[in-house]
Amino acid sequence: MDFQLPITLNIPAAWESHIYRQTVLIVLSIIFGSGAIVFFFRNKNYYFVQSWASIKSWLVAAPIMFIVMGLPTPWPLICLTCLAILGAKIFFQIMGMFHRSNFVLICYAGIIGLAACIYFDREDIYNVMPMIVLGVSCLVPLIRNSYKRMIQYMSLTLLAFIFLGWSFMHLGLIMKFPNGIYQLMYLIILTEFCDNTNLAVGRYIGGWRLFPSINARRTVGSTAVSILLTLFLAGSMRFLLPDGSDKYWLASGLIASLGGFLGDLVMTVVRRDAGMKTVGPFIIGRGDFLHRVDRLIFVAPIYYYVMTVLL
């Protein structure tokens, strides 16, 4: 007798690959191993407090990320879209315009439109979406018959869409590369590793402060060491790339280091100018969710276009 269940359970696509399972095991081992070491020094100084807070968030977030990334299409893309919308929500909260629902919803709709473009392979429409969002935003003052602070609202809506939509959703375009899901994981790991390394060695390796008025903890020495360590990790994990040639992992390591550094500084400028450092903690780690993804808003598009040329 053949029994048919009302719900069919499909085997997750990426989980079928031994490379994916091996990668998950290696990365989780590194995170839990680092957590075990930092745990004993977590109250030693400010830098270890921050490192422990970051590792705690990844102890929770990493297993969830691997489960989602291992699901069949389009679930990873749907998850990425939800994260982009969550980041945009926090951006609007920081800028104090979350109550302007018309502009907020236009940004959310634009992000969903980007996901549809990725799914249906319409990169031509993807690249004109910022103009579409700007055009629709310009209609809000006319519909509301109001002009007060509308230039500010339209500008911030476009900025939120460019950062948390157009730039961040390049991660979805990267997922369509050969071994795209591995490249996405590779990029996220390198970017987060570089930031935490810079933070961890900042106390011990000083030197000239690059931008003392924006972020006094970023020195030439700590930045150089974090870049070198990130390049070492990029070379060690090159098996996640479709081609293990030197130019690929070198480009990936440099983009994750320098692009992430730039993204962190730019969002720090935004937060400080808005007078709001953080909007609630992300899970149990340091900072909010936007702190976790602000480096990717520069890393993702740079990586996408560089790899488009190299591949």
Side-chain angles (χ1 to χ4, degrees):
M1 185 177 293
D2 183 20
F3 292 97
Q4 185 69 38
L5 294 174
I7 300 175
T8 303
L9 298 177
N10 295 318
I11 299 174
W15 282 107
E16 294 177 328
S17 168
H18 75 280
I19 297 178
Y20 187 83
R21 296 193 296 271
Q22 183 184 41
T23 303
V24 171
L25 181 62
I26 292 173
V27 175
L28 290 181
S29 299
I30 293 173
I31 294 175
F32 279 89
S34 302
I37 296 172
V38 175
F39 175 79
F40 295 102
F41 302 97
R42 65 189 185 282
N43 296 321
K44 186 176 181 181
N45 56 50
Y46 168 82
Y47 296 90
F48 276 107
V49 170
Q50 293 293 301
S51 297
W52 172 240
S54 179
I55 289 175
K56 280 195 298 183
S57 69
W58 278 103
L59 289 174
V60 177
I64 297 174
M65 180 186 76
F66 287 128
I67 290 172
V68 173
M69 294 299 176
L71 294 176
T73 303
W75 292 108
L77 180 59
I78 292 173
C79 179
L80 196 65
T81 306
C82 293
L83 294 179
I85 291 175
L86 176 58
K89 175 188 174 184
I90 296 174
F91 181 89
F92 285 125
Q93 288 176 323
I94 290 173
M95 303 312 297
M97 61 170 289
F98 189 64
H99 62 292
R100 295 292 174 181
S101 57
N102 292 324
F103 293 102
V104 173
L105 292 176
I106 288 171
C107 182
Y108 291 173
I111 292 173
I112 294 172
L114 291 174
C117 292
I118 295 171
Y119 185 76
F120 293 107
D121 293 321
R122 294 304 304 266
E123 192 175 347
D124 52 340
I125 302 177
Y126 183 99
N127 286 325
V128 299
M129 281 298 288
M131 292 304 299
I132 296 174
V133 169
L134 177 60
V136 176
S137 298
C138 291
L139 298 178
V140 174
L142 305 180
I143 295 173
R144 295 180 58 86
N145 192 27
S146 174
Y147 64 88
K148 290 185 177 179
R149 304 185 68 183
M150 287 298 168
I151 293 177
Q152 179 182 352
Y153 294 145
M154 288 187 292
S155 302
L156 290 175
T157 301
L158 185 60
L159 195 62
F161 179 75
I162 293 292
F163 280 166
L164 282 313
W166 187 86
S167 294
F168 184 79
M169 289 299 287
H170 272 79
L171 295 175
L173 293 173
I174 293 170
M175 281 198 294
K176 308 204 85 173
F177 281 165
N179 291 338
I181 207 73
Y182 301 108
Q183 294 190 59
L184 180 63
M185 292 165 49
Y186 183 72
L187 202 57
I188 293 174
I189 292 168
L190 292 182
T191 304
E192 190 66 19
F193 176 81
C194 185
D195 179 65
N196 282 288
T197 305
N198 197 328
L199 190 65
V201 302
R203 179 180 174 84
Y204 306 101
I205 303 176
W208 180 48
R209 298 183 189 279
L210 290 167
F211 304 96
S213 298
I214 299 174
N215 190 334
R217 297 194 302 270
R218 307 294 183 183
T219 66
V220 174
S222 64
T223 302
V225 170
S226 65
I227 291 174
L228 290 175
L229 291 175
T230 303
L231 287 174
F232 175 77
L233 182 63
S236 302
M237 298 182 67
R238 70 175 77 178
F239 63 89
L240 292 176
L241 294 172
D243 191 319
S245 303
D246 290 342
K247 61 182 180 182
Y248 292 101
W249 66 265
L250 276 171
S252 303
L254 289 173
I255 292 168
S257 303
L258 301 177
F261 179 69
L262 187 60
D264 179 61
L265 286 175
V266 169
M267 289 310 297
T268 301
V269 171
V270 171
R271 289 177 187 277
R272 294 203 166 193
D273 191 36
M276 183 172 288
K277 188 175 181 181
T278 185
V279 183
F282 171 54
I283 309 179
I284 51 178
R286 64 184 170 92
D288 51 37
F289 174 74
L290 195 54
H291 271 116
R292 300 269 62 82
V293 300
D294 56 8
R295 289 169 291 279
L296 292 171
I297 62 178
F298 277 76
V299 170
I302 296 173
Y303 179 88
Y304 175 77
Y305 289 109
V306 169
M307 287 301 158
T308 300
V309 173
L310 291 180
L311 290 175

